Amino acid sequence: MSAKRSRGLPIAAHLALLVALVFATAFAVTLTIILALPPRPPDVMRSDQIVSDFVTGYRAAAETGRAPRSTRMRWAVRTGPPPVASLSAAAPVKAEIAQRLNLPPDKVALTGDFVRRDTLVFRVQRGHAEHIRQMEVHVATHITREKTAGAPDAPTPPAPPSPPVVVGAPPEPPVVFAPAPPNVTLLSGFTLAAELPNGRWLVMRQGRNDEEWGWILRAALIVGATLLALTALALWFARRLARPIQTFAAAVQAVGVDPKSGAVAEEGPRELRNAAGAVNAMAARLRALVADRTQTLATVAHDMRTPLMRLRLAAERSPPDQRERIAKEIAEMEALIASFIAFARDDPTSEKRVRLDLVALLQSVADDQAEAGRDVRLSSAESRLVIVGQPLGLKRLFTNLIDNAVKYGARADVALRRDGAEAVIDILDGGPGVPAGKREEVFKPFVRLHEHHGDGVSGAGLGLTAARSIARAHGGDVTIEETQQGGLVRVRLPIEEPIPAAR
């Protein structure tokens, strides 16, 4: 068993594998974003696009007197020009705007951050092959100048020839990336303003970068899909790791109810295998201990019958005035020995468990009591309640409780109902009941609240003890509850849940 138990990784190793897998997946996703996605669009705009947008918006504002609406730009109409710093790099753009709007240069204001053209690339659409060719020339010239720095006599390399136009040639690629043209200025965080014909100023600021948001959305989709995949993997891993734990818990609970149940499967991580082996060894020792106790008690009770027989024979030869008292003591001792034998016979591990109808079993006990002339009545809110248990043991359980109810309360009203996953059996009598402070004490062996009864014979104090032992062996319990009149004993037993049909 020890060799079998040693196989399997510990729980810490399983968790380490999961963490390593998560880190490897995160690295792979990061590498995918870097290699698969195009460069993140820069938060800059070309000056030719800025001029075109401003001219269009200016003409619309001159006609309506209101600022245009756009998501790319933020527009506003002010009473005066915005405070902007005068930058020499902005002069060409201001001059172009003033020329296109027929305004003096001092009626145009521009400020912002000017970016180097050769550090960024832009998306170029179909039909801009000439733009791409110019960029190739520009990049080749720039790289050659860097290589020949310090050699002023180096000749400038000729520009690559233009590609020949071929009739019927395949279409150009739909999307490519290239730097901005040499004569285009790049701006970021700019503010552009011009005076309107009514004397107010139209102000345009850089708005939302839709391409940048698109790039962020694609990256977020990749990360989100990865998180969903990792979540599914973690759930699968957790269920795989928890399944042996659940099986182990159910098997341990079964051993607690029935020590003769099957052995706990030694599977799963190494810690669970070791624990299952320990539980199996403990269950074996418990079975041996219970068997030894039961056998010892039954043997002692049986051996005591021989001296009792000799005492009965001696009582018959005793004087008449002592014969009745001796016979009474002998009868009480015989009842006590019979209780010992019955208690030993109620071993929860000695009878096979089967599926049985609790309603039918209680009806059988009630009928037996009624045939004996006792006032016992049964009421059930269910027509059928199936449990798994020992028929003889459960019959002794209810017989003991009903005997106590009739003995000390003259009658027994038995009521059966269902409460969730449990069957609840209430046995109500008409006696004085049990004081609240002694409701647990009466379940101890040999504890008797009423030492003598009207018939002159008292019990051994094992009836409630045996009843609770049988109930707990079935996963239930026996308790004494509060009631307005009489005594109320409540039995709870688990109901067998229906097995779902296979799909």
Side-chain angles (χ1 to χ4, degrees), residues 147-173:
K147 289 183 178 180
T148 58
D153 296 334
T156 301
S162 301
V165 179
V166 181
V167 179
E172 300 172 5

Side-chain angles (χ1 to χ4, degrees), residues 27-73:
F27 175 77
V29 170
T30 303
L31 195 62
T32 301
I33 293 176
I34 293 175
L35 298 180
L37 285 181
R40 179 173 177 175
D43 192 20
V44 298
M45 292 190 67
R46 293 167 39 169
S47 60
D48 54 346
Q49 296 176 349
I50 296 173
V51 172
S52 177
D53 290 344
F54 186 79
V55 170
T56 303
Y58 182 90
R59 290 171 178 169
E63 294 179 1
T64 62
R66 295 190 303 269
R69 293 184 179 180
S70 173
T71 57
R72 292 185 56 189
M73 303 294 178

Side-chain angles (χ1 to χ4, degrees), residues 203-449:
V203 181
M204 183 183 76
R205 291 184 174 87
Q206 185 175 359
R208 186 176 60 192
N209 190 344
D210 293 334
E211 292 189 358
E212 183 179 19
W213 281 105
W215 187 93
I216 294 175
L217 179 61
R218 291 193 297 272
L221 287 176
I222 295 177
V223 174
T226 304
L227 289 178
L228 288 178
L230 287 178
T231 301
L233 178 64
L235 290 176
W236 173 83
F237 187 87
R239 292 188 61 181
R240 180 180 175 85
L241 188 62
R243 189 181 299 114
I245 299 176
Q246 294 172 348
T247 304
F248 174 77
V252 170
Q253 185 176 7
V255 170
V257 173
D258 181 12
K260 287 188 176 180
S261 62
V264 180
E266 299 182 21
E267 59 183 7
R270 184 178 302 169
E271 293 84 352
L272 284 182
R273 293 172 182 265
N274 295 337
V279 170
N280 289 333
M282 178 189 67
R285 289 194 294 268
L286 284 177
R287 288 192 292 268
L289 180 62
V290 171
D292 291 345
R293 185 214 65 171
T294 303
Q295 183 64 33
T296 300
L297 185 59
T299 302
V300 171
H302 183 271
D303 292 344
M304 289 180 68
R305 290 182 179 270
T306 301
L308 280 177
M309 182 62 66
R310 289 197 296 265
L311 286 175
R312 184 176 291 278
L313 293 176
E316 292 179 356
R317 295 191 296 268
S318 62
D321 57 338
Q322 298 180 359
R323 186 178 305 167
E324 183 177 355
R325 182 175 59 84
I326 295 175
K328 181 179 178 181
E329 295 294 336
I330 293 175
E332 185 174 350
M333 187 172 294
E334 285 181 339
L336 184 62
I337 293 174
S339 298
F340 287 160
I341 295 176
F343 184 73
R345 189 175 63 245
D346 290 337
D347 176 18
T349 66
S350 61
E351 185 183 357
K352 184 179 179 181
R353 295 170 185 263
V354 297
R355 296 177 73 250
L356 57 91
D357 182 8
L358 188 59
V359 178
L361 186 143
L362 286 173
Q363 187 63 57
S364 173
V365 174
D367 292 343
D368 292 343
Q369 296 286 337
E371 290 179 1
R374 297 178 177 180
D375 186 6
V376 178
R377 287 166 288 184
L378 172 65
S379 62
S380 175
E382 305 288 338
S383 60
R384 178 181 173 84
L385 271 181
V386 177
I387 66 172
V388 176
Q390 301 165 323
L392 295 180
L394 291 174
K395 192 169 185 178
R396 283 193 295 270
L397 182 155
F398 293 114
T399 300
N400 286 349
L401 297 179
I402 292 176
D403 284 344
N404 277 350
V406 174
K407 186 175 183 179
Y408 298 106
R411 62 180 174 84
D413 295 330
V414 183
L416 171 63
R417 59 186 172 86
R418 177 170 184 158
D419 183 13
E422 290 183 327
V424 180
I425 303 95
D426 290 337
I427 302 175
L428 178 65
D429 61 46
V434 180
K438 295 185 177 181
R439 289 176 182 169
E440 283 297 318
E441 184 179 355
V442 296
F443 288 101
K444 296 178 180 179
F446 310 111
V447 174
R448 292 171 289 182
L449 293 182

